[in-house]
Amino acid sequence: MTVARQDFEDAIAAYWDAGKLQGEQSAIKAAVGVGTAGSVRSGKHFDVIAALLAKFFLEAGYPAESIRVSKSQGLELPGYYRPQKQWDLVVVHEGVLVAAFELKALGGPSFGNNFNNRVEEALGSAVDLRRAALADLFPKEKPWLGYFFIMQDGQGSRRPVKTAKGALPADKIWTETSYQDRFGIFCERLMAEQLYDAACYVTSSAEDPTPIELVESLDWRHFSAAINARLTYLRDLGIPG
């Protein structure tokens, strides 16, 4: 059994309709506890994405109690520059951090301010945890981090944006790029610096929820392959037992 592309497309469609639960997604959500009060920090819309990702680990044999999606289960992981940071989905089994995911989105109309906020959040979360790992706060296996991002598709996110005339010029790569372009560049650089082990970046909208994957290396195919590679690696080590 695998998590199919249709599961991914169904989850993106359901993201835009937080009250719409389909059969299998409902069963997964019930198994891992999403949909309870204060489940995913980013809101009920991300419950269905959490369920989609949880399916990988449920099918790989991880017990439901190892898959944490609600505050009551404990989503906090150790930091280095701060005591703890709350992630959106955490899989811990017998003391091993199997995976931790950030689930984030960006919508209009204020793409500019929120773009900077999302960049700073993603960087801060990854840098803090990676440094905590170097301090032996994750002693058993190297942590694995995933980043899942949905940007609202529309004129505001597609339109080229000028860079401000600052004290020093910006990197030319940003010239006349849209917010959709910029987030693709950002996610590619997150991966190049190995801050995250996998990133999935899609654009979509309530009017047309079909996911658009602008960057091949950040598409669902690569993201799901990276998750499965992590599962295979740990399975070869006898995890889960």
Side-chain angles (χ1 to χ4, degrees), residues 3-132:
V3 182
R5 179 170 181 89
Q6 191 61 53
D7 296 325
F8 161 64
E9 294 189 4
D10 289 346
I12 297 296
Y15 168 86
W16 296 104
D17 184 359
K20 183 179 180 182
L21 302 181
Q22 308 262 334
E24 186 181 12
Q25 291 171 348
S26 298
I28 294 169
K29 291 171 86 167
V32 297
V34 297
T36 57
S39 59
V40 177
R41 288 192 305 114
S42 301
K44 295 295 182 184
H45 289 273
F46 267 114
D47 280 356
V48 67
I49 306 300
L52 171 72
L53 299 178
K55 184 179 178 184
F56 282 95
F57 302 95
L58 288 170
E59 291 190 350
Y62 288 87
E65 56 268 24
S66 294
I67 305 168
R68 300 167 180 240
V69 293
S70 69
K71 292 180 181 179
S72 63
Q73 293 172 305
L75 291 168
E76 291 80 11
L77 291 173
Y80 183 79
Y81 301 101
R82 53 188 165 183
Q84 296 171 305
K85 193 272 177 187
Q86 191 177 94
W87 291 72
D88 291 316
L89 190 157
V90 173
V91 183
V92 174
H93 187 73
E94 296 180 352
V96 173
L97 176 57
V98 176
F101 293 89
E102 285 275 80
L103 313 177
K104 294 293 181 281
L106 177 60
S110 182
F111 287 98
N113 290 338
N114 291 329
F115 171 83
N116 288 332
N117 291 339
R118 295 295 176 268
V119 167
E120 290 164 10
E121 290 166 357
L123 286 173
S125 298
V127 169
D128 194 24
L129 190 143
R130 295 298 187 195
R131 186 61 185 84

Side-chain angles (χ1 to χ4, degrees), residues 167-200:
L168 291 169
D171 187 338
K172 291 181 179 179
I173 196 172
W174 306 108
T175 303
E176 293 298 317
T177 50
S178 67
Y179 286 113
Q180 290 191 12
D181 297 329
R182 291 181 179 188
F183 219 87
I185 294 167
F186 169 62
C187 288
E188 286 183 299
R189 290 184 167 186
L190 284 181
M191 294 290 292
E193 295 293 328
Q194 299 182 336
L195 291 173
Y196 288 85
D197 296 282
C200 185

